[in-house]
Structures are given as C-alpha cells and as structure tokens.
Amino acid sequence: MNISVTKAAQQWGVSRTTIYQKINDGELSRTADKKIDVSEMLRVFGEPTSKKRTERSVNTVQSTPLNSQSVQYNTDIEHQLALEKLKNEHLSQQVNDQKKLIENYQQQIGQLNKTLDKANASIQDFAQVRLLEFKQAEMSDEPPLAQEQEQEKRDDSIVVTAKKKKRWFF
C-alpha cells in the first residue's frame, strides 16, 4: 500500500521535510508515482504515531481515575512543601533578626558596664579627695568636732554606697 508524503507525515508525526531528507539521503525510497510504501515508513520510522496514540488513549482511559487522584495528591504535597519552605525561610529570618537584636543588647550592656565602672571610679576618686580634705582640715583644727563627724559620716556613706552599687551590678 502506497501513501503520499503528506499523509505519511501526518500518520507518523514527522514533518514532510524530514521525510524528504530521508529520501534524499537514500534511507527511504519512493515509487515512480512519488508515493511511499507503508512498509518503507515502518522500516524507517516504526509504528505510526496515530496507532500509538490510540493504544495510549485506551491505557490512559483505564487508569485516569487513579492518575487523577495521584496528580491531585502530588499537587497538594507540592503546595504543602512550598508552604513549609516559606515558613522555614520566615522562621530563619526571625532567628537572624533575634540574633542581631541580642548582639545589639550585648553591646549596650558592655557600654553601660564601662560607663558604670567610670562612674564608680569617679565616686571613689571624689571620696578619696574629700577624705584627704577632711584629714587636712582635721590636722589644722579649723572645723569644729561636730562638723568633722558629720562630714566623715557623709564621706563614709558615699564610699559604702559606691561599694554596695558595685557589688549589686557585679
């Protein structure tokens, strides 16, 4: 049985150009009336795609309900996976933000500790200066005894307060 190049191209699902190339290369032969023998097409291209499609459609029709459920299940799983990936990215971003916040707080704590140390040192220096002034004044006997005791109590309370604060923070 002989068929035209156009009909052969349609049945086997190839372009006419491909068929003409095979003819020119000598892989496919034509009859004198420029038609192609079906056996030649079978030899070169195998079974026609229209026949293959018919066999596939029969198999597909039988398995469609199962495949439809599988496709739906796979689609649902893919959506869940995408959602979980988005959640994971969001949580990772939150963790990174919290780490940055913690670092910032630690830096602030370090700066506050330095400021506190400087303040405590200043208080101690002040207390020592006042104590020296008091001792010098005591040696010169200028202030009365009651005023000296009162000033000494104030100086001692400043030193004790500074020590208490230092112990409380450290």
Side-chain angles (χ1 to χ4, degrees):
M1 182 170 141
N2 296 333
I3 57 174
S4 69
V5 173
T6 304
K7 189 164 185 166
Q10 288 173 349
Q11 285 184 356
W12 269 267
V14 295
S15 68
R16 291 178 348 161
T17 307
T18 303
I19 293 174
Y20 284 121
Q21 284 176 349
K22 298 280 184 189
I23 292 169
N24 290 337
D25 292 343
E27 294 179 44
L28 189 63
S29 60
R30 291 198 297 187
T31 59
D33 60 350
K34 302 203 181 220
K35 295 201 176 201
I36 301 171
D37 191 3
V38 174
S39 63
E40 280 289 298
M41 287 298 291
L42 288 171
R43 180 182 62 79
V44 174
F45 293 105
E47 289 292 320
T49 56
S50 60
K51 189 174 183 181
K52 290 177 189 174
R53 284 184 190 151
T54 306
E55 291 172 2
R56 283 186 199 146
S57 64
V58 168
N59 291 335
T60 305
V61 169
Q62 292 171 351
S63 62
T64 298
L66 181 60
N67 284 343
S68 176
Q69 290 173 351
S70 294
V71 167
Q72 182 62 37
Y73 178 75
N74 287 342
T75 304
D76 291 344
I77 295 293
E78 287 172 358
H79 287 289
Q80 277 184 322
L81 181 61
L83 182 63
E84 293 301 319
K85 284 181 180 179
L86 286 174
K87 285 180 184 177
N88 190 14
E89 289 174 15
H90 180 69
L91 290 174
S92 294
Q93 184 61 42
Q94 283 183 331
V95 166
N96 289 335
D97 291 345
Q98 292 299 320
K99 284 181 180 179
K100 288 178 184 175
L101 193 61
I102 289 170
E103 285 178 20
N104 188 19
Y105 287 150
Q106 287 174 340
Q107 288 175 353
Q108 288 178 359
I109 289 170
Q111 290 172 350
L112 289 172
N113 281 333
K114 288 178 184 177
T115 304
L116 182 62
D117 289 342
K118 289 179 183 177
N120 284 334
S122 296
I123 290 171
Q124 287 177 350
D125 290 346
F126 177 73
Q128 287 176 355
V129 167
R130 294 296 288 168
L131 187 60
L132 286 173
E133 287 174 357
F134 177 73
K135 285 182 181 180
Q136 286 175 354
E138 185 179 88
M139 293 177 117
S140 67
D141 288 328
E142 288 180 7
L145 185 62
Q147 289 179 352
E148 285 179 22
Q149 289 174 346
E150 189 176 309
Q151 184 63 36
E152 190 176 299
K153 286 180 183 177
R154 276 189 256 144
D155 290 344
D156 287 345
S157 69
I158 290 172
V159 172
V160 169
T161 304
K163 286 182 181 177
K164 283 183 180 178
K165 284 185 179 179
K166 192 171 186 178
R167 282 189 203 136
W168 182 76
F169 282 99
F170 296 104

